[in-house]
């Protein structure tokens, strides 16, 4: 019963956060300095559109009726959000849902591979640093991890673009898929997609420096536990101790860090996709900002934030199954 109450509490917190995000998007559109709704209406009227028709079109695109009182407009906005109606893009003249649906998979493709590779490298390097703590290898790898963790991803992105695209011509300078190739499960198309995504993925792998330092600290803490001394007294091999005791218990705390990093990478994708002209959801969000395309901008903001909230919810609900000790502590806290 305690575990059920705990899960319900987490679900309630997630629902409240989701509501707060959607409400914030409404407030931003409605209260933003410069009155975006009024600006859009004036822009349409300058094109010769009837004022009544202009207000109707703005209502359709923003999912907000500018003539209604704020409470009534808020209720309509929330109903549209629940129904999946994010409005219509002003600049692209398409449904915001359709734009996000075709852009989000490309962003997830880059983020998933970047997250997997960076944490694989970070965990492997962190384990080596902990095993040879205080040695030359530990000092060298620690210096490398600190350097990688301190370099902003966009700086590395620009350097990779200059050298590996413009100077050496190894990778494309922009885009997300090869031109002149029919999309499908063919090697020319798949290899072209991989080549276009390679540099953005490399730029995000700088997160492996932070992950390796975290893994090093966890592994060193585990190496000092009493049960490892007991395992050695039992005559267990170093391989068994390192894989079944040290690695397993040191990796567990990294699970939450892994899911939290998704939010950081989503935020970083906005700048990164602009650098490489990679048309994912981050590229469209920044383009919407330049074009004052408020429906698309707010739709992207809501989708990215909800994706991070859901990732954190998954981390909360599943961590107890990976580490029974955490489940026991949660039960005791309620």
């Amino acid at each position: 019963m305690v575990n059920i109450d705990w899960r319900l509490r987490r679900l309630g917190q997630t629902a409240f956060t989701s509501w707060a995000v959607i409400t914030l998007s409404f407030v931003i559109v409605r209260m933003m300095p410069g009155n975006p709704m009024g600006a859009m209406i004036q822009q349409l009227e300058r094109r010769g559109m009837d004022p009544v028709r202009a207000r109707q079109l703005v209502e359709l695109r923003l999912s907000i009726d500018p003539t209604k009182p704020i409470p009534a407009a808020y209720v309509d906005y929330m109903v549209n959000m629940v129904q999946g109606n994010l409005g219509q893009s002003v600049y692209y003249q398409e449904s915001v849902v359709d734009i996000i649906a075709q852009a989000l998979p490309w962003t997830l493709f880059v983020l998933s591979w970047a997250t997997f590779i960076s944490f694989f490298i970070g965990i492997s390097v962190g384990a080596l640093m902990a095993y040879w703590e205080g040695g030359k290898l530990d000092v060298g790898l620690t210096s490398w991890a600190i350097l990688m963790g301190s370099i902003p991803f966009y700086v590395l992105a620009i350097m990779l673009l200059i050298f590996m695209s413009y100077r050496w011509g190894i990778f494309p300078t922009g885009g997300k898929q090869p031109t002149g190739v029919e999309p499908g499960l063919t090697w020319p198309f798949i290899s072209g997609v991989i080549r276009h995504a390679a540099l953005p993925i490399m730029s995000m792998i700088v997160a492996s420096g932070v992950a390796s330092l975290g893994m090093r600290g966890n592994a060193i803490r585990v190496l000092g536990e009493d049960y490892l001394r007991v395992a050695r007294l039992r005559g267990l091999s170093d391989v068994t101790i390192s894989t079944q005791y040290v690695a397993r218990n040191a990796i567990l705390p990294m699970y939450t860090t892994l899911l939290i990093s998704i939010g950081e990478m989503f935020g970083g994708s906005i700048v990164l996709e602009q650098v490489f002209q990679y048309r994912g959801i981050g590229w469209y969000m920044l383009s919407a900002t330049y074009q004052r395309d408020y429906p698309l901008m707010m739709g992207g903001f809501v989708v990215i934030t909800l994706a991070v909230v859901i990732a954190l919810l998954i981390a909360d609900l599943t961590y107890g199954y990976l580490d029974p000790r955490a489940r026991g502590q949660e039960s005791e806290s309620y």
Side-chain angles (χ1 to χ4, degrees), residues 272-288:
L272 198 64
E273 290 177 0
Q274 186 69 19
V275 171
F276 293 105
Q277 293 297 293
Y278 193 88
R279 294 201 172 195
I281 188 171
W283 187 90
Y284 278 103
M285 279 194 66
L286 196 59
S287 173

Side-chain angles (χ1 to χ4, degrees), residues 230-295:
V230 175
R232 292 190 181 95
L233 292 176
R234 290 174 55 193
L236 297 179
S237 65
D238 290 341
V239 175
T240 301
I241 293 174
S242 60
T243 56
Q244 298 186 12
Y245 289 84
V246 178
R248 180 180 178 184
N249 290 282
I251 290 175
L252 283 176
M254 302 293 294
Y255 175 69
T256 304
T257 305
L258 172 64
L259 293 180
I260 292 176
S261 68
I262 295 176
E264 298 177 354
M265 288 190 172
F266 259 120
S269 69
I270 296 177
V271 177
L272 198 64
E273 290 177 0
Q274 186 69 19
V275 171
F276 293 105
Q277 293 297 293
Y278 193 88
R279 294 201 172 195
I281 188 171
W283 187 90
Y284 278 103
M285 279 194 66
L286 196 59
S287 173
T289 303
Y290 292 149
Q291 302 297 335
R292 299 184 70 184
D293 192 342
Y294 298 101

